[in-house]
Amino acid sequence: MSGEENNLESRVQVLKGVKDILPDESFRWLELENTLHRVMACYGYSPVYLPIIEQTRLFSRGVGEATDIVEKQMYTFIDRGGRSISLRPEATASLVRAYVENGLCKTESLVKFYYYGPMFRNERPQAGRAREFHQIGVEVIGSLSPFVDVEVIVLSKKLLDEFGLGTDAVIKINSLGSQEDKAAYSNILKKQLETLKSKLCDTCKERLDKNVLRILDCKDPNCKKLVSDLAKPCDSLSKESQDHFEEVKRGLDNLGIKYVVDPYLVRGLDYYTMTTFEITHPNLGSQDAIGAGGRYNNLVGELGGPQKGAVGFALGVERIILASKNVVDNKAKYDVYVSYLGDEAKRKAFKITQELRNIGVSVFFEFEDRAFKKQFAQANKLGVKYVVTIGEEEIKEGVYSLKDMTSGNQEKVDFNSLVKNVWRILKQSAQNGRI
Ligand code: HAM
């Protein structure tokens, strides 16, 4: 084995399904985050920062013991104190825990929260599916009103619009009904499927006993065909659940939000009741859900709080990035390039660079000594608006050469007019939303 191969083998690499976010993408991430905060402020939602590790039983109780997430996908370990801890696979359960634990259920009649952060699921990685991924999430707790369902769906669409993905996104909605409706429907479906058990795929045979609703969104064509002839969740909705769903649809119609009703839409988390929704995007491959959510009217109660209506959703950040095809803004941008020749000029150039940065101007400074020609070529490549030059002549005269790269005009200026000119750039940048 050559020395290089040996080195390659011993080099520590990033884990499978986990990714570094470098500047070819990181500016897009930042832009998404900035947009998120702006939109949320407009809708009156407050940011929350939640722990990444939780007690494992939060998720087995909250998300559901018989879900794929809890059964197969959690990163769970025993810590030094012998406690079972899990990296969060999602944040709704954490948020509800925080809501109950911090007594917000007693002091606030309604909370509207949002979060942005990493989640962890040990799934087989593929395009759009990672082991560490990020979600933008929104949760409203404290209301049973169907108007909240509508607001939350509209908000998910608004975010996708702002990210440039709203036009092609498809919103699918369904209602699973109350906990009682869900239980009644599960019994009916189970009875109907028991006679057909031999025809189900192996996974669905197991689901029949553990979590029969999950059979509805099995991708196996045989299972799909089988369930298409059977009862649907909407057949078991109580009058109250039906009215709620009708009001949600009316609300969306009223606002001109397009959606399709998918009567087989059940989600992989057990806490959903009543409205559920999923948003798909055609730019994604087989993992085409860019976001999903719904009501979870029983979760607060299940995690030790009072009975409270709640609804929310999460968008997958990696999938948003993947679906955004025409994004170009992926480099740090500079307004000014400070060029120099000689040691004394370099020190002066470095000082003026810091002074300009102190007043908020973004400045590129080349650390390595280069010929002026090379520096100007670099400035051109970076697309800066101004180049400040300090050479022997400028040092002697105690001035700076300032070149406007758009007009090509060059003039010698003293420190004050340099700052005045640069202030003008600063103002323009502010108008363009850069600062
Ligand atoms: P979820 O459907 O499990 O829901 O995830 C929401 C979104 O996260 C998905 O639509 C997808 O965009 C993204 N996502 C999920 N798993 C992965 C993965 N392995 N790799 C990349 N992206 C992924 C929830 O997590 C619920 N907590 C949403 C919610 C909030 N419901 C009510 N409130």
Side-chain angles (χ1 to χ4, degrees):
M1 196 184 282
S2 74
E4 199 179 326
E5 278 168 6
N6 198 10
N7 253 342
L8 271 178
E9 226 166 67
S10 62
R11 201 167 58 196
V12 180
Q13 291 181 319
V14 74
L15 291 167
K16 215 172 148 197
V18 169
K19 199 179 142 182
D20 303 309
I21 311 297
L22 300 175
D24 60 337
E25 267 189 19
S26 59
F27 285 97
R28 173 72 172 144
W29 281 69
L30 194 64
E31 192 184 296
L32 291 182
E33 198 176 336
N34 289 338
T35 306
L36 170 72
H37 298 310
R38 178 169 52 75
V39 173
M40 289 304 167
C42 186
Y43 279 72
Y45 285 64
S46 309
V48 289
Y49 299 89
L50 301 163
I52 284 166
I53 52 172
E54 296 273 4
Q55 289 187 47
T56 301
R57 64 196 178 102
L58 170 68
F59 303 112
S60 33
R61 234 202 268 172
V63 174
E65 199 82 65
T67 57
D68 283 353
I69 294 180
V70 170
E71 266 194 343
K72 303 178 198 156
Q73 297 170 355
M74 283 214 296
Y75 283 98
T76 297
F77 60 95
I78 303 294
D79 78 354
R80 287 167 197 273
R83 292 164 284 249
S84 180
I85 308 261
S86 291
L87 301 189
R88 63 178 185 194
E90 62 105 55
T92 309
S94 300
L95 193 137
V96 171
R97 178 204 48 71
Y99 170 81
V100 174
E101 190 170 344
N102 292 288
L104 300 176
C105 48
K106 295 190 197 115
T107 55
E108 310 287 327
S109 59
L110 184 81
V111 298
K112 305 209 294 184
F113 287 153
Y114 73 99
Y115 50 86
Y116 182 96
M119 311 290 155
F120 303 85
R121 295 183 194 174
N122 194 353
E123 295 187 83
R124 195 171 45 79
Q126 64 179 90
R129 192 160 73 188
R131 290 182 174 163
E132 181 188 17
F133 61 97
H134 297 72
Q135 283 184 347
I136 286 171
V138 162
E139 317 286 353
V140 181
I141 311 180
S143 173
L144 290 165
S145 165
F147 280 79
V148 184
D149 307 39
V150 177
E151 172 166 303
V152 158
I153 296 172
V154 168
L155 183 49
S156 66
K157 171 72 166 53
K158 169 74 178 162
L159 284 170
L160 290 174
D161 282 342
E162 292 280 336
F163 300 154
L165 297 170
T167 314
D168 296 329
V170 177
I171 303 174
K172 295 179 197 167
I173 63 170
N174 192 23
S175 176
L176 298 175
S178 65
Q179 198 71 6
E180 295 73 33
D181 300 342
K182 245 173 99 177
Y185 172 67
S186 297
N187 278 336
I188 294 170
L189 187 65
K190 201 169 168 189
K191 269 199 197 114
Q192 290 184 330
L193 279 170
E194 243 143 29
T195 54
L196 305 165
K197 188 170 178 180
S198 58
K199 295 186 181 154
L200 290 170
C201 74
D202 288 346
T203 319
C204 284
K205 276 183 190 133
E206 273 182 42
R207 286 174 174 157
L208 191 55
D209 294 319
K210 284 194 197 155
N211 199 345
V212 68
L213 285 185
R214 296 289 299 151
I215 297 178
L216 291 191
D217 68 354
C218 178
K219 301 282 178 284
D220 182 293
N222 275 336
C223 297
K224 256 185 175 344
K225 172 131 199 352
L226 270 183
V227 294
S228 68
D229 296 329
L230 307 179
K232 302 178 194 52
C234 57
D235 301 329
S236 298
L237 295 188
S238 65
K239 169 86 175 59
E240 206 187 332
S241 304
Q242 271 174 26
D243 289 348
H244 184 97
F245 194 41
E246 287 309 314
E247 194 61 49
V248 173
K249 288 189 281 184
R250 252 196 308 275
L252 293 172
D253 292 339
N254 190 24
L255 299 175
I257 302 288
K258 291 205 179 74
Y259 59 86
V260 284
V261 175
D262 177 352
Y264 295 104
L265 181 73
V266 287
R267 317 255 23 279
L269 303 112
D270 275 357
Y271 49 62
Y272 289 120
T273 54
M274 315 290 271
T275 315
T276 52
F277 67 100
E278 184 174 86
I279 309 172
T280 57
H281 197 282
N283 288 359
L284 299 171
S286 60
Q287 302 300 312
D288 64 351
I290 204 159
R295 267 206 170 268
Y296 47 93
N297 289 345
N298 292 71
L299 188 58
V300 179
E302 242 145 65
L303 295 178
Q307 213 57 31
K308 292 268 183 182
V311 55
F313 69 86
L315 300 175
V317 179
E318 281 77 1
R319 292 189 192 177
I320 292 170
I321 303 278
L322 200 63
S324 322
K325 284 182 171 164
N326 306 316
V327 179
V328 282
D329 195 14
N330 60 2
K331 283 259 157 56
K333 292 269 192 305
Y334 301 97
D335 292 318
V336 174
Y337 187 108
V338 179
S339 68
Y340 59 85
L341 205 61
D343 289 346
E344 196 184 341
K346 185 173 188 175
R347 283 189 286 273
K348 206 165 175 190
F350 194 55
K351 190 157 180 226
I352 192 78
T353 296
Q354 306 313 323
E355 278 166 351
L356 292 176
R357 285 175 180 164
N358 284 345
I359 59 166
V361 180
S362 102
V363 187
F364 183 89
F365 178 82
E366 173 55 66
F367 293 106
E368 308 305 327
D369 298 350
R370 299 241 161 99
F372 269 138
K373 207 171 153 198
K374 282 216 164 138
Q375 295 186 57
F376 268 83
Q378 194 177 21
N380 259 323
K381 210 168 148 197
L382 290 169
V384 297
K385 296 188 196 78
Y386 284 84
V387 177
V388 177
T389 301
I390 313 171
E392 264 174 38
E393 217 179 288
E394 283 82 6
I395 299 252
K396 240 189 261 156
E397 294 172 24
V399 291
Y400 304 87
S401 287
L402 180 66
K403 183 170 182 183
D404 181 331
M405 297 297 275
T406 321
S407 66
N409 293 340
Q410 185 156 342
E411 52 181 329
K412 287 196 174 156
V413 290
D414 60 15
F415 180 78
N416 282 342
S417 46
L418 174 69
V419 169
K420 221 162 68 196
N421 269 295
V422 168
W423 261 111
R424 224 182 43 235
I425 308 172
L426 195 68
K427 229 164 77 192
Q428 273 167 11
S429 297
Q431 277 159 0
N432 296 340
R434 289 267 314 278
I435 44 175

